[in-house]
Amino acid sequence: MTSHQVGASARRTRAVTRRDIELFTAISGDRNPVHYDEDLAGRSRFGGIVVQGGVTSGLLNALVAEQLPGPGSVFLEVAWRFLAPVRPGDVLTATAVVIGVRDDKPVTTLATSITNQDDVLVLDGTAVVWRDPVVSAATSVPASPTTHPDAGSPAPTQEKIA
């Protein structure tokens, strides 16, 4: 039911900013001082301001929803370990690799990871994803012969369901 094969992969890169911390706080209400108080965060075991885990893992949300498996995808289960702090200014690269595909349902299991600009692994784990067949069919873009799964997401398309 899914067109993705075991071994397919995708990557997505993004720089995180202090504004991301502010926006995540507005959505979540997370006002932990390690995200805002320079002095207190500097004296903590983190040694400085850290970005919320939701901002970090949010890069995987975008990768799954836009690239692999793609539009219509939602997480059913995640098992993520946060291994190193992420700081404003870090450039994160999220990677997903298909490690399992259900034959009876549009469900894919992904190995997921995020590294920073220094190639430090900041998040590692797995995710089980379900992809809505109606949304998938309405937004699928045929792969060109030069398209590689790591090449990034295709330009958004708008198609009508007849």
Side-chain angles (χ1 to χ4, degrees):
M1 295 195 110
T2 180
S3 62
H4 298 291
Q5 302 290 327
V6 171
S9 66
R11 286 195 172 108
R12 187 174 190 101
T13 297
R14 182 178 185 283
V16 292
T17 66
R18 287 190 182 267
R19 180 75 177 134
D20 293 323
I21 293 172
E22 295 166 3
L23 292 169
F24 190 80
T25 296
I27 293 167
S28 69
D30 179 354
R31 298 186 197 303
N32 187 332
V34 299
H35 306 310
Y36 288 98
D37 187 323
E38 298 263 355
D39 180 55
L40 188 55
R43 291 184 285 131
S44 76
R45 72 175 293 214
F46 300 110
I49 296 291
V50 294
V51 174
Q52 294 102 326
V55 172
T56 301
S57 63
L59 190 55
L60 287 167
N61 291 68
L63 185 146
V64 164
E66 297 292 328
Q67 293 171 250
L68 184 71
S73 296
V74 296
F75 290 117
L76 297 177
E77 176 183 332
V78 296
W80 290 330
R81 296 177 307 137
F82 294 84
L83 302 171
V86 172
R87 309 216 184 267
D90 281 354
V91 177
L92 302 180
T93 299
T95 303
V97 179
V98 176
I99 59 173
V101 178
R102 295 265 309 252
D103 292 330
D104 61 331
K105 295 180 181 181
V107 174
T108 305
T109 302
L110 304 169
T112 54
S113 63
I114 299 178
T115 56
N116 69 14
Q117 68 282 350
D118 298 320
D119 213 25
V120 172
L121 187 63
V122 300
L123 181 150
D124 188 39
T126 59
V128 178
V129 178
W130 178 79
R131 187 171 187 199
D132 185 276
V134 172
V135 177
S136 174
T139 58
S140 64
V141 176
S144 70
T146 59
T147 300
H148 183 274
D150 285 343
S153 59
T157 61
Q158 294 184 1
E159 300 176 9
K160 293 183 179 178
I161 299 173

